[in-house]
Amino acid sequence: MMKIRVSFVLALLLLSSSFFLQVARCQSDSDSEDAELVAETVEEGGDLGIVDDDVQDFGIGNYSPAPGVETVCVFPKNPTKVVVAGQETEVLIGMKNEGDQHIKVLAVHASVHLPFDHNMLVQNLSTQVFNNASVPSSVQATFPYIFAVSKFLQAGTFDLVGRIVYEIDQIPYENTFYNGTIEVIEAGGLVSIETVFLVSLGISLLVFLGLWVRGQIQNLSKKTKKGPKVETGTRSVDASMDEWLEGTAYTQSKASKLKKKK
């Protein structure tokens, strides 16, 4: 029973570890594809314009994306998306214009939300305004965005939602270039949730492996301790039977036979 239980737990741990490795592999492949696209936009990009820190309200969150406009983003210096509270993080936004008209880029904005409910706003991040940025038709361009979460934000996993606002024929549109999780850690914190999980998984595997080896050793020692069965000789059986049958007809006939032999 102990062996079955340990084997079941080991199977669950191996399945969970393979699942997380598969997720990490898929995430890595997605990030590499986005990085390639952003690299292409850097080479073919148009006029990026002047970056300003204006606080003008662009009605972010109220517009829909324009057809033929695609956006991607990468964290060039932070592929694991681990954000240190109070420190700046850079994002590169790649925009591809497959439409027939020029795009006038207005601003980039992002916000932090609780992962289980985007209606719960944690923090509105800074808005970067582009005074003279445009993307001609059939051209790609890259736009930088630098943000920093509050240094008082508690460490944990949050959702980052980033949007870029632009105009086509003076009609505003917006694309969501990133809508995913980030891990916020405290400044100077060296231990992340991923590290804790991997260490815990490794310790659990070692513990259950040790229990399994111990069980195997105990089973082997029990088998070696069992000695060979000792068969009872016929003489002892005959003696006990003689005592039990003493005085009966069987013993008398046996005595007479012995006298005849003499």
Side-chain angles (χ1 to χ4, degrees), residues 43-89:
E43 296 177 357
E44 303 178 9
D47 185 9
L48 297 182
I50 301 173
V51 179
D52 196 5
D53 290 329
D54 198 354
V55 293
Q56 180 180 353
D57 184 13
F58 290 94
I60 296 174
N62 299 322
Y63 308 124
S64 59
V69 179
E70 298 180 359
T71 54
V72 295
C73 82
V74 294
F75 293 70
K77 300 178 182 178
N78 187 10
T80 59
K81 302 178 179 63
V82 177
V83 177
V84 180
Q87 297 185 10
E88 292 184 342
T89 300

Side-chain angles (χ1 to χ4, degrees), residues 208-227:
F208 285 108
L209 181 61
L211 292 175
W212 181 79
V213 172
R214 181 182 177 184
Q216 295 296 319
I217 294 174
Q218 289 179 349
N219 292 334
L220 184 61
S221 61
K222 288 180 180 179
K223 291 180 180 179
T224 55
K225 286 181 180 178
K226 291 181 179 180

Side-chain angles (χ1 to χ4, degrees), residues 54-160:
D54 198 354
V55 293
Q56 180 180 353
D57 184 13
F58 290 94
I60 296 174
N62 299 322
Y63 308 124
S64 59
V69 179
E70 298 180 359
T71 54
V72 295
C73 82
V74 294
F75 293 70
K77 300 178 182 178
N78 187 10
T80 59
K81 302 178 179 63
V82 177
V83 177
V84 180
Q87 297 185 10
E88 292 184 342
T89 300
E90 182 183 11
V91 177
L92 292 179
I93 308 161
M95 174 176 279
K96 185 176 181 181
N97 182 11
E98 294 182 344
D100 298 330
Q101 298 176 331
H102 280 44
I103 294 175
K104 180 182 180 182
V105 179
L106 300 178
V108 176
H109 175 76
S111 55
V112 179
H113 304 260
L114 293 180
F116 54 85
D117 186 4
H118 278 198
N119 293 324
M120 301 293 293
L121 177 64
V122 177
Q123 182 184 357
N124 260 324
L125 302 177
S126 60
T127 301
Q128 284 188 346
V129 180
F130 298 89
N131 293 331
N132 187 26
S134 63
V135 183
S137 176
S138 302
V139 172
Q140 301 174 354
T142 300
F143 302 92
Y145 177 63
I146 298 175
F147 68 91
V149 300
S150 173
K151 63 180 180 180
F152 302 107
L153 184 61
Q154 185 178 1
T157 301
F158 299 91
D159 276 5
L160 176 69

Side-chain angles (χ1 to χ4, degrees), residues 245-256:
L245 296 172
E246 187 176 358
T248 63
Y250 173 77
T251 57
Q252 292 176 1
S253 62
K254 186 177 181 182
S256 62

